[in-house]
Amino acid sequence: MDFEPTGATKEIRDLARRVSLERFRPTAFENREDMSPRRGNLRLLAELGILGCSLPEEYGGGGRPDLDALLAVEQISYGCPRTGDQALMTMTGPGSFIARHGTEEQKRRYIPPLCTAQERFSISLSEPEAGTALTDLKCRAEIVGNDCVINGVKTFCSDAGHADHILVFVRFAEGSLGIGAILVHRDTPGLTLSAPHHHISGGSWFELFFDDATIPAGDVLLDGDAIGRLLAAYDLERCGANVYVLGVAQIALDMAVEYVESRRQFGRPIADFQMVQQKLADMWIAMEASRLLNYRAIARADQGLPIRQDSSAAKVIATETASMVCNTAMQIHGGSGMSHELPLDWLYRMVRPREVAGGTSDIHRSQIASAMVGRRFDHRQG
Ligand SMILES: Cc1cc2nc3c(=O)[nH]c(=O)nc-3n(C[C@H](O)[C@H](O)[C@H](O)COP(=O)(O)OP(=O)(O)OC[C@H]3O[C@@H](n4cnc5c(N)ncnc54)[C@H](O)[C@@H]3O)c2cc1C
C-alpha cells in the first residue's frame, strides 16, 4: 500500500498544481459571481494533456487511470475553484460514461472535442418529481426507425446554457429497468431551455423541455436496463466532485492558518488560544480523512471494483468536511470572515451545494446502512 503518488500520476498532479497556482490563481477570486466558462484555462489544461488525461488514448485522451485525473482536479480546484468546477465535467463526467458504454461511432464523435476543450457536456438526471427518487423519472424516449423521439421535463441541469451536448437519463420502458441514457445536442429541434436559475454559488441551472425532440437513434447511449451501469459510472463522477470540494476547502484552510498567526488579540497571536488550535486541528484531521476515503474509492474504481458504499462514504465525508472547513475558517476570521471583501463566504457557497448535488448526504447514509445490513430499504413502504 503506497500513500504517495509516483511516476506519471505524480507528474500530472504536480503539473496541475503548478499551472493552476501560477496561471489561474492570480484572477481566481475576481468577479466571483461570474461563473461563465474559463475557456482559456480549460484550453491550457487541454494543451498540457491534463483535461483528457484519463480518457482513452485512441480518441485523443491520455489513457491514464481515473486517479490521475481526480488528483489533478483537486489541484486545479485549489488554484481556481471555477476552473476546477468546469474541468470536472470533462475529467470525470459524460466523457467517461461514453468511454465505458458508447459505441465506436459515439466515442469517435464525442470524446476528441472534450479532450481539446472544444466542446462541453452537461448531465441531466433530475426531474421535478424525481430528485432523490431518481427511478421515478418520466422523461420518455422512443426509438422510431432511425430516430429517437423525446418528451418530458428535466430540471436542475447545471451549466446547460454553456454546454454543446447534454447526457440525459430517460425512460424507454416502465420500471427501473426501463431507464437509459441519450446524447442530446443543445440545439436539437423540440428541446427548449428555461432562462437560467442560479445556485448559491452563482452557477447556473436550467430546466429542459422536450417536446417531440428528435435525435438520431445513433445517439442513444443505453436504451434501457441501464440504471445499474449509469449509477456505477456516476459513483466515479461523484468522487470527482468530492476532490473538487476538498481543493476548494484547502484554500479556506490555508487562509485560516495564515490568519491565526497574523491576527493578534490580548497581545498575542490568536493561534495561542487552545480553542483556536482545536479548530485548526479538527479541520486538518477531517480534510486528511476525507482525502484518504476518496483516494481509496477512486483507486478501487480503477481496479474495476464496485465502489457504491465507498463513494457514498467518500461523498458524505468530503462534502460535509468542506462545508465545515469553509464555515470554520469564516469563524476564525471574525468580522472579516463575514465580509464579501474576503472570498471565504464564496468558497463556502461553492462547496455547500455539493451536500445535495450528486445525491443528498441523507440518501448516501441510507445506502451505506443498507450495505451494512445487507438488504435494500424500500423507501416507498416507510
Ligand atoms: C449545485 C447543484 C447542482 C446540481 N446539478 C445537477 C445536474 O447537473 N443535473 C441533474 O440532473 N441534477 C442536478 N442537481 C440536482 C440534484 O441531483 C438534486 O437536487 C438532488 O438529487 C436532490 O433532489 P431534490 O432536490 O429533488 O430533493 P428531494 O429529493 O426532494 O429531497 C428533499 C429532502 O428530502 C430528503 N429525502 C428524500 N428522500 C429521502 C429518503 N429516502 N431518505 C432520507 N431522506 C430523503 C433529502 O435528503 C432532502 O433533504 C444539482 C443540485 C445542486 C444543488
Side-chain angles (χ1 to χ4, degrees):
M1 197 179 299
D2 191 348
F3 287 98
E4 275 307 309
T6 54
T9 304
K10 181 175 177 339
E11 278 169 30
I12 294 171
R13 182 198 66 175
D14 292 352
L15 178 63
R17 182 183 180 86
R18 198 169 64 246
V19 168
S20 190
L21 285 176
E22 285 174 7
R23 303 287 293 273
F24 307 160
R25 178 62 78 79
T27 56
F29 305 129
E30 288 174 7
N31 304 319
R32 295 199 274 274
E33 308 300 326
D34 173 10
M35 294 290 285
S36 54
R38 318 284 280 178
R39 291 189 193 280
N41 293 355
L42 295 171
R43 271 196 301 273
L44 180 58
L45 292 172
E47 282 161 23
L48 293 169
I50 297 173
L51 197 66
C53 69
S54 61
L55 292 171
E57 273 181 296
E58 56 271 45
Y59 310 108
R64 298 293 307 162
D66 288 308
L67 183 64
D68 293 20
L70 273 68
L71 291 176
V73 165
E74 185 178 346
Q75 297 306 324
I76 297 163
S77 310
Y78 173 58
C80 176
R82 283 174 288 189
T83 308
D85 187 33
Q86 291 155 11
L88 192 58
M89 194 47 90
T90 296
M91 296 179 75
T92 65
S96 59
F97 279 64
I98 297 168
R100 280 164 190 232
H101 301 301
T103 61
E104 182 61 25
E105 204 179 327
Q106 288 168 349
K107 291 177 195 174
R108 286 194 190 290
R109 162 68 188 90
Y110 291 107
I111 296 178
L114 285 179
C115 298
T116 52
Q118 280 165 314
E119 293 187 353
R120 290 163 50 83
F121 260 94
S122 285
I123 185 163
S124 177
L125 302 80
S126 306
E127 295 186 4
E129 304 303 324
T132 304
L134 179 63
T135 51
D136 283 356
L137 68 83
K138 292 193 183 75
C139 185
R140 191 91 198 182
E142 191 183 354
I143 296 177
V144 184
N146 292 327
D147 293 332
C148 174
V149 182
I150 313 133
N151 282 289
V153 179
K154 308 294 283 186
T155 190
F156 285 130
C157 186
S158 292
D159 248 0
H162 298 299
D164 301 280
H165 313 281
I166 308 168
L167 171 67
V168 187
F169 284 32
V170 286
R171 176 169 297 291
F172 285 92
E174 292 312 312
S176 57
L177 293 183
I179 293 173
I182 55 178
L183 306 167
V184 181
H185 195 279
R186 200 192 61 187
D187 296 333
T188 298
L191 166 61
T192 313
L193 270 59
S194 69
H197 303 264
H198 293 282
H199 300 297
I200 57 174
S201 61
S204 58
W205 62 270
F206 295 76
E207 288 141 300
L208 312 179
F209 303 98
F210 292 94
D211 182 7
D212 279 338
T214 304
I215 60 168
D219 283 335
V220 172
L221 185 65
L222 291 163
D223 65 0
D225 194 8
I227 193 72
R229 283 175 287 169
L230 289 169
L231 292 181
Y234 208 63
D235 285 338
L236 184 68
E237 206 260 351
R238 193 174 290 126
C239 290
N242 299 343
V243 293
Y244 156 75
V245 294
L246 293 176
V248 176
Q250 185 64 46
I251 304 171
L253 183 53
D254 288 359
M255 289 176 67
V257 172
E258 205 178 309
Y259 192 71
V260 295
E261 284 290 72
S262 64
R263 175 68 177 166
R264 297 176 73 85
Q265 286 293 279
F266 300 97
R268 53 210 293 212
I270 61 170
D272 285 0
F273 303 119
Q274 285 185 352
M275 274 189 269
V276 173
Q277 294 163 15
Q278 181 173 7
K279 286 188 177 64
L280 281 187
D282 285 349
M283 288 193 277
W284 188 86
I285 292 166
M287 289 286 285
E288 291 303 307
S290 303
R291 287 193 171 105
L292 286 179
L293 267 181
N294 270 282
Y295 299 165
R296 191 185 71 169
I298 301 160
R300 282 172 59 86
D302 274 330
Q303 289 164 25
L305 298 168
I307 58 162
R308 177 61 42 82
Q309 194 177 358
D310 302 79
S311 91
S312 285
K315 204 256 174 192
V316 170
I317 192 170
T319 54
E320 292 185 358
T321 292
S323 298
M324 179 276 282
V325 165
C326 294
N327 190 29
T328 308
M330 288 167 74
Q331 184 72 16
I332 285 176
H333 279 76
S336 326
M338 303 299 137
S339 154
H340 284 310
E341 279 161 34
L342 294 180
L344 283 168
D345 75 299
W346 179 69
L347 296 175
Y348 178 78
R349 286 184 287 112
M350 291 293 276
V351 299
R352 178 62 180 83
R354 298 286 177 167
E355 289 184 48
V356 170
T360 64
S361 298
D362 310 291
I363 200 65
H364 285 291
R365 283 195 165 87
S366 176
Q367 281 170 4
I368 292 166
S370 160
M372 289 169 71
V373 299
R375 66 184 173 87
R376 275 188 78 232
F377 300 131
D378 187 344
H379 295 282
R380 283 170 218 288
Q381 300 295 323

